[in-house]
Amino acid sequence: MTDADVLTRMLHAIDARDWATLRASFTDEVRTDYTSLFGGEPETITADQLVARWRPLMLGYDATLHLTGPVLVSGDRLDAHVTAHHWLADDGWTVYGHYVARVAGGQIAELTLQTFHQEGNRELPALAAERANAST
């Protein structure tokens, strides 16, 4: 697998709910920045914590589909456009943006989402989280 494949592998693992592959996509510690989408601050956490955070949320959706454009590689940096579709019942939320990642040893060490646009129900992540919490 090339460094360019690691971002696609990570997104496919989310959609397939393949938690082992998702975890293997990241270095033991990973810096994430989703501030353009959710606010807050960038953070550095363990990959296990990241997967533990994402897993219940993803299970709260009926389905997700993450699509990327070509991945451009420049040294240890990956750049790719992303369209992320999320569905819950008859409702949907789509995020359009750009991922910037830094790779170390074939794994993602840093991941930043630059959000361009959103459409659909922006409350869907909260609804998916509630649904996931109710099923545990």
Side-chain angles (χ1 to χ4, degrees), residues 30-85:
V30 60
R31 181 184 183 281
T32 61
D33 184 348
Y34 281 84
T35 58
S36 70
L37 184 60
F38 297 119
E41 296 293 326
E43 64 181 342
T44 300
I45 60 175
T46 69
D48 292 331
Q49 289 171 314
L50 182 61
V51 172
R53 184 182 295 168
W54 285 359
R55 182 180 176 152
L57 179 60
M58 292 302 114
L59 290 173
Y61 293 112
D62 290 331
T64 59
L65 178 64
H66 294 77
L67 304 170
T68 59
V71 178
L72 301 177
V73 180
S74 178
D76 67 349
R77 179 182 164 132
L78 307 179
D79 288 89
H81 289 303
V82 63
T83 301
H85 301 286

